[in-house]
Amino acid sequence: MVREVAEARLVVPANTRPRVSVIIVLYGRADMAIPAIAALIANSPPCFELIIVDNASPDDALELVSSRVVGATIVRNSLNVGFSAGVDVGALHARGEFLLLLNSDVFVEPGWLPPLLAALDRSPSLAGVSPVLLNIDGSVQEAGSLLFAGGVTRAVTSADRWALDFSRTVPYVSAACLLLRRSVFTKLGGLDCVYGLGYYEDVELAMELDHLGLSLGYVAGSSARHVHGASSSRERAMRRTVHNRAIFARRWQSRLDELPPATDHLTASAEVRARDAFAVDRVLIIDDRVPQTDRGSGDPRMATIATRLAALWPAARVTLLGASLDGADRYAPALLAAGVEVAACSFDGAQRWLEQRAGHYSAIIISRTDNLLRFREMVERTQPLALIVADVEAIYSRRTAMRATVMAASDPALAASCAEEAVRQREVELEGWNWAQVAVCVSREEAAEVRAVAPGTTVHVLPPVARAPERLVPYAERSGVVFFGGFMGGEASPNADSVRHLVDDIMPLLWSRRPQLALTVAGSDPTPSILSRAGERVAVIGRVDDPFHTLGARLVHVVPERFGAGVKTKLIESMASGTPFVTSPIGAQGLHLGELARHLVADHPAQFAEMTLALLDDPDLWRFVQRGLAGLAEQHFSPLVLDRTLVELMADLGAAPPLGP
């Protein structure tokens, strides 16, 4: 393969305004360099320039490379000035916004560059990023690296899929394939040449960046293969490593003394401590499970909170612990790619997991009231210094008490059981809210209730969020009515009760006026009672990939919720998608409807039918409501609102504001 590549002309794409300046320092081994350049050209978008710096190769490598590669800038040094100086010379010729330091024995793989650029575009505090480096056989050579006391380094080589899929800040990364902001590189004066021919200049760079408050990142989804040591013997490399480590350790002794010691056997606990040594803020989120973003029950909100925390504070460590393995493999990858570490295990496994990370976290967000009780003892024992945040995803005692009222006439025994459960839930809520230093609620109404019974707890409002689609579908392109919501809670859930009430009590009134009106019931895990109501005019379609597409195809979203708590994500998504809804006073809680409520909030089946028909039959009213709801979604439930509240929350937890826009 090397011979075939070497005999072909390799043309670097002409680029008057390159975004990336690729710098390859050459010292012999054209048999490696030419295939590496071929891989760069074949697997990269045409947004780069190539700068080859020859460090006085002892063989004919320069002649071979220059005769095969067309369009590269070639710089000839009269002697081997070492890797750092070679890179610095190459950077003087660079025009790109970013510099890519690329070893001549690294072969980038298809799709390697866009994820790296995207990571830097998202995070101003990231100065540089690296892909996973693989050995030629495909095994992991480096997925970021660790730094220990005394300057000892160790590559992360875990073959665990979740570890490889976890994009994160790291103590340092090898300069074998490192994409850097040229502005930061220039501010530092380039790579430090004190390390001679090579080794430890990349670790020095990491420490200099840390001193400036900047970070390096490992980016999942980007990969390159590295021969490793092709231009130097193992013995020479070891001598240089030992020599340069001593220089590095003297320079950074005070900072290195803060790091964990290196050991012959690296335990999982020691690896985590070394990995997160540079992360001042370490936030753990505990929830029932890894958020299942298409199934409701507060899961989409929690996934959004976790990913926004990781995006706003990329130098922090945000970890989500799901106390169940259910669905973890399916839903974890999106969180990992967004920079959220994910762990999933049983409750007993969670205890062992927390013990392995004893004293590691600065703040712990515990979602759902029962989890405050379940995890309190182990959190107090393993994380005694962490600030505790109670995420009041919903006030369950209120919802259960409402259900008792609804069931009183039809099922007195069930109503009595619900009333008893509501009392138990209230006791747990009061204990948990008063234990936490901070609480977050989904609405102002619920925040006021928490403040009243937990006066020593700081309370923030952190509602669900919905992003508006690029286009609001107009009236003329829609038809029918819809109920959208997940049924994870089973037959006793508010959503299951709502659909039964809708089909049995409200739709007959609508069908008496509009016999052909179609109802679509969408949402994951429809229960037997929901499936049994499917028919000619009722379509139960189950899970949908895109709620905005489903909502945007219907004229009215009907949500006759008779008991519940919190703010309903399905109605916020309805607002953002421009789909008018009719709901109950319980469903309308926390939505800031104002004057729109007189068109949208119904108390009984006949009123539900009349309000729904008014929207179906009056396009002008429908458009008025659509505009009003979309405006309220932008004002109260947009990502910008969430970000502002997260900044306030993190300030209470001791975190500095995020860097840059």
Side-chain angles (χ1 to χ4, degrees):
M1 181 192 78
V2 171
R3 182 174 179 81
E4 290 174 358
V5 170
E7 292 177 352
R9 285 168 59 85
L10 303 175
V11 180
V12 178
N15 209 322
T16 57
R17 299 185 64 184
R19 192 162 192 219
V20 178
S21 297
V22 180
I23 301 174
I24 295 178
V25 177
L26 183 67
Y27 185 72
R29 297 301 303 267
D31 60 321
M32 290 288 178
I34 291 174
I37 294 169
L40 174 70
I41 294 171
N43 296 329
S44 307
C47 63
F48 70 94
E49 64 176 348
L50 175 59
I51 302 164
I52 300 171
V53 179
D54 180 65
N55 259 347
S57 291
D59 55 17
D60 58 354
L62 177 59
E63 288 73 18
L64 288 172
V65 170
S66 58
S67 67
R68 303 301 183 197
V69 179
V70 178
T73 298
I74 296 180
V75 181
R76 296 170 172 82
N77 288 332
S78 58
L79 70 160
N80 184 3
V81 297
F83 179 76
S84 294
V87 168
D88 293 346
V89 169
L92 296 175
H93 298 265
R95 296 173 293 157
E97 178 185 358
F98 301 101
L99 302 178
L100 177 74
L101 313 190
L102 186 68
N103 278 14
S104 59
D105 56 359
V106 170
F107 308 94
V108 296
E109 300 201 316
W112 72 281
L113 183 56
L116 300 182
L117 290 172
L120 290 170
D121 288 340
R122 283 194 304 267
S123 302
S125 63
L126 275 179
V129 289
S130 175
V132 59
L133 294 179
L134 306 173
N135 294 307
I136 294 301
D137 64 4
S139 59
V140 178
Q141 183 183 109
E142 177 191 336
S145 289
L146 307 176
L147 183 59
F148 297 89
V152 176
T153 63
R154 190 168 296 172
V156 175
T157 59
S158 172
D160 177 75
R161 182 174 61 81
W162 281 15
L164 292 181
D165 288 348
F166 175 30
S167 295
R168 60 192 182 274
T169 55
V170 290
Y172 94 97
V173 290
S174 164
C177 185
L178 173 58
L179 186 66
L180 289 165
R181 299 184 193 276
R182 183 157 69 102
S183 59
V184 175
F185 184 89
T186 302
K187 183 176 182 178
L188 292 175
L191 296 182
D192 198 318
C193 298
V194 73
Y195 296 102
L197 295 181
Y199 298 99
Y200 267 83
E201 65 284 321
D202 43 13
V203 197
E204 175 77 22
L205 172 67
M207 296 301 281
E208 291 175 350
L209 292 172
D210 176 62
H211 186 68
L212 293 177
L214 300 173
S215 303
L216 291 168
Y218 160 76
V219 178
S222 174
S223 61
R225 300 199 181 220
H226 184 203
V227 175
H228 197 59
S231 61
S232 178
S233 72
R234 184 178 181 85
E235 182 181 347
R236 283 198 303 271
M238 184 58 66
R239 285 201 306 269
R240 290 173 187 163
T241 297
V242 172
H243 177 269
N244 287 350
R245 181 190 299 150
I247 298 173
F248 174 78
R250 286 195 299 271
R251 285 184 154 197
W252 297 98
Q253 181 176 344
S254 61
R255 184 71 171 98
L256 294 174
D257 286 346
E258 301 171 4
L259 302 181
T263 58
D264 292 336
H265 175 64
L266 187 63
T267 64
S269 176
E271 180 173 331
V272 168
R273 294 182 191 285
R275 182 201 68 187
D276 295 349
F278 286 16
V280 176
D281 302 305
R282 304 171 188 172
V283 180
L284 174 64
I285 300 169
I286 299 176
D287 204 350
D288 286 349
R289 56 193 164 267
V290 177
Q292 301 181 8
T293 50
D294 57 353
R295 299 179 71 185
S297 298
D299 287 32
R301 171 179 169 272
M302 179 50 70
T304 301
I305 289 171
T307 54
R308 290 310 299 159
L309 284 172
L312 291 168
W313 288 272
R317 179 66 68 236
V318 178
T319 302
L320 191 144
L321 173 61
S324 168
L325 293 169
D326 181 39
D329 283 334
R330 177 178 178 180
Y331 296 98
L335 292 169
L336 294 164
V340 179
E341 182 186 18
V342 179
C345 49
S346 66
F347 181 75
D348 289 340
Q351 179 163 303
R352 292 189 295 273
W353 188 90
L354 283 167
E355 288 170 349
Q356 288 180 343
R357 301 187 178 206
H360 191 65
Y361 291 100
S362 57
I364 301 178
I365 301 172
I366 304 177
S367 187
R368 307 177 204 272
T369 301
D370 278 349
N371 286 331
L372 289 167
L373 180 64
R374 293 172 69 204
F375 283 93
R376 179 170 181 172
E377 184 277 330
M378 70 174 73
V379 164
E380 288 181 331
R381 178 167 48 82
T382 64
Q383 312 293 327
L385 300 180
L387 295 173
I388 305 302
V389 180
D391 176 35
V392 187
E393 181 266 334
I395 297 180
Y396 290 101
S397 63
R398 177 192 289 183
R399 183 175 77 181
T400 307
M402 290 178 187
R403 186 173 182 232
T405 301
V406 170
M407 295 291 110
S410 60
D411 193 335
L414 177 59
S417 175
C418 288
E420 291 178 4
E421 176 64 9
V423 172
R424 184 200 70 81
Q425 289 174 331
R426 190 60 169 180
E427 292 174 353
V428 173
E429 288 167 350
L430 292 176
E431 180 181 344
W433 299 342
N434 281 282
W435 170 50
Q437 287 88 12
V438 181
V440 291
C441 300
V442 295
S443 70
R444 290 185 298 191
E445 294 86 348
E446 294 197 351
E449 184 171 338
V450 173
R451 289 189 185 103
V453 297
T457 301
T458 301
V459 182
H460 295 275
V461 177
L462 202 61
V465 168
R467 292 183 181 274
E470 293 183 2
R471 172 180 177 265
L472 296 182
V473 181
Y475 177 93
E477 297 177 21
R478 300 173 181 240
S479 64
V481 297
V482 63
F483 177 93
F484 176 78
F487 303 95
M488 187 187 300
E491 298 286 13
S493 68
N495 283 348
D497 178 78
S498 294
V499 172
R500 291 191 293 265
H501 183 39
L502 172 60
V503 175
D504 297 349
D505 303 322
I506 298 171
M507 290 307 299
L509 300 176
L510 290 168
W511 285 325
S512 70
R513 305 269 291 275
R514 281 198 170 203
Q516 302 305 314
L517 182 64
L519 167 65
T520 300
V521 178
S524 298
D525 311 303
T527 63
S529 72
I530 304 305
L531 293 170
S532 71
R533 283 164 169 77
E536 184 178 346
R537 294 180 292 188
V538 179
V540 179
I541 63 175
R543 176 186 177 275
V544 295
D545 290 328
D546 182 3
F548 287 113
H549 175 77
T550 301
L551 290 167
R554 276 75 186 180
L555 281 164
V556 183
H557 187 190
V558 187
V559 184
E561 191 155 303
R562 297 194 291 180
F563 57 91
V567 176
K568 312 303 177 289
T569 301
K570 55 183 169 285
L571 292 178
I572 294 173
E573 290 174 335
S574 193
M575 295 165 76
S577 70
T579 303
F581 57 75
V582 180
T583 190
S584 64
I586 294 169
Q589 288 177 359
L591 296 183
H592 310 276
L593 293 179
E595 288 298 313
L596 289 176
R598 65 191 182 95
H599 301 293
L600 307 179
V601 181
D603 283 314
H604 51 79
Q607 194 173 20
F608 267 95
E610 289 302 321
M611 287 186 172
T612 302
L613 286 169
L615 290 166
L616 291 172
D617 294 339
D618 187 342
D620 290 335
L621 173 63
W622 187 94
R623 294 185 189 100
F624 169 76
V625 170
Q626 182 190 56
R627 288 192 300 270
L629 290 177
L632 289 174
E634 178 66 23
Q635 181 180 355
H636 297 288
F637 306 109
S638 69
L640 183 61
V641 173
L642 173 69
D643 287 355
R644 284 201 300 261
T645 307
L646 287 176
V647 170
E648 295 170 1
L649 170 64
M650 289 294 283
D652 281 340
L653 302 179
L659 178 65

